[in-house]
Amino acid sequence: MSKQIDVLIGDNSINFGYVCSRALNSHNVSSATVLKDGIDVLNAIITKRPKVAVIEYNMPHIDALGIISFMKYFVDIPVKIIVIGTNSGEAFKTKLYESGAEDYLLKPFDISLLSDKIINLLEISDNDDLNSYSDKAQSVVDEFICEIGLPLNLKGTRYIRKALTMYIDEGSMQAVTKTIYPDIAREFNTSPANIERSIRHVINSYWSRLNREIVEEYFGGLAYEIPTNSAFISTVGYKLKKGCIKTYAK
């Protein structure tokens, strides 16, 4: 599992990403850079779970608004996002703030200004209660989903994410079996049957396309047999729970 960082910079160029990272390091702020591509940035946010992310508005594949919306409706990771760009329109900036962006910087700008804004957001983040056991559980689950290759845009994956988190929080499959589908259904305003069906669809349709190394690590000799919903949740949940306990204990 990846170690959490303070800041993710959605640009690994020498002229910006490297300079920004060095400036943050001088303030003892841990950071990482990633290719300026929406998909790469999204995956990095999910796996590295930064407290703050600095991203360009216009990126290939997914723009900043797309990433903010995805985090809000599909993953719900508490990352504070600073967007940078060249659009100076007030309507544009208002739309960004309303979508959930923490700040917007118009290019060009001084790196020291960006550093000051990041440090301020980190101080706010450190005062938030983001270190509960449930947050650790969610972090472990999110990294697993990204690493194994479950499709992030499907409802079934969102339901699997919730089910695995419930397993870790409750402690055993027996504890969640009777309520898992009804509880998730109430949260997502749908029926228990639809929850079961959506999870089954993801497992059946994508089993052969998942990261085989990760699948074999979790399922061993049963890696090539499509598991039932409960077998998938209990097998993965048990191992993720052990990882979550180790992370929480640090």
Side-chain angles (χ1 to χ4, degrees):
M1 297 290 180
S2 301
K3 181 180 179 181
Q4 185 182 28
I5 57 171
D6 291 323
V7 182
L8 177 72
I9 304 165
D11 187 328
N12 63 355
S13 66
I14 295 177
N15 292 334
F16 179 75
Y18 178 72
V19 172
C20 187
S21 185
R22 285 195 62 183
L24 292 172
N25 289 342
S26 69
H27 292 283
N28 295 318
V29 173
S30 62
S31 63
T33 61
V34 65
L35 183 68
K36 188 166 64 177
D37 179 285
I39 293 177
D40 290 317
V41 169
L42 181 59
N43 284 333
I45 291 175
I46 292 172
T47 57
K48 296 180 181 297
R49 294 183 70 88
K51 297 175 182 177
V52 176
V54 180
I55 63 176
E56 184 90 24
Y57 179 78
N58 288 312
M59 295 180 289
H61 301 113
I62 309 175
D63 64 15
L65 276 177
I67 287 179
I68 294 171
S69 297
F70 193 93
M71 305 307 297
K72 187 176 183 180
Y73 295 108
F74 290 95
V75 183
D76 193 28
I77 291 176
V79 55
K80 301 181 186 303
I81 296 180
I82 297 176
V83 180
I84 60 178
T86 57
N87 192 327
S88 60
E90 288 302 317
F92 170 78
K93 289 188 284 187
T94 298
K95 185 177 181 180
L96 270 181
Y97 291 132
E98 289 178 346
S99 72
E102 289 290 334
D103 209 337
Y104 176 71
L105 283 180
L106 181 66
K107 298 196 300 184
F109 53 82
D110 194 286
I111 290 294
S112 63
L113 174 62
L114 175 60
S115 296
D116 289 344
K117 288 182 177 292
I118 289 172
I119 291 170
N120 181 56
L121 287 178
L122 287 174
E123 290 175 352
I124 295 173
S125 180
D126 287 341
N127 289 328
D128 292 338
D129 184 19
L130 300 178
N131 295 314
S132 67
Y133 184 82
S134 292
D135 289 323
K136 296 294 184 182
Q138 195 65 81
S139 174
V140 171
V141 170
D142 287 341
E143 288 194 35
F144 165 80
I145 287 175
C146 187
E147 289 175 354
I148 200 171
L150 286 171
L152 298 174
N153 61 318
L154 296 185
K155 290 181 178 179
T157 299
R158 294 167 63 189
Y159 302 153
I160 288 173
R161 177 178 183 263
K162 180 63 178 179
L164 289 173
T165 304
M166 287 176 63
Y167 181 98
I168 294 173
D169 286 340
E170 297 294 336
S172 70
M173 195 61 192
Q174 183 178 5
V176 301
T177 297
K178 293 182 179 180
T179 61
I180 186 168
Y181 294 145
D183 284 354
I184 297 175
R186 280 192 292 272
E187 178 171 335
F188 289 94
N189 194 28
T190 186
S191 68
N194 187 47
I195 298 296
E196 191 280 333
R197 186 167 53 249
S198 296
I199 291 177
R200 166 58 36 204
H201 169 71
V202 170
I203 295 174
N204 281 352
S205 300
Y206 288 87
W207 186 250
S208 63
R209 289 180 265 177
L210 298 179
N211 184 319
R212 301 318 300 175
E213 182 179 347
I214 302 296
V215 170
E216 290 175 7
E217 176 185 344
Y218 280 80
F219 292 88
L222 300 177
Y224 293 93
E225 297 180 13
I226 299 178
T228 63
N229 288 7
S230 60
F232 181 90
I233 294 167
S234 61
T235 300
V236 173
Y238 174 74
K239 294 192 176 183
L240 289 183
K241 184 176 179 64
K242 291 197 297 182
C244 185
I245 291 172
K246 290 178 181 178
T247 302
Y248 186 67
K250 291 180 179 179

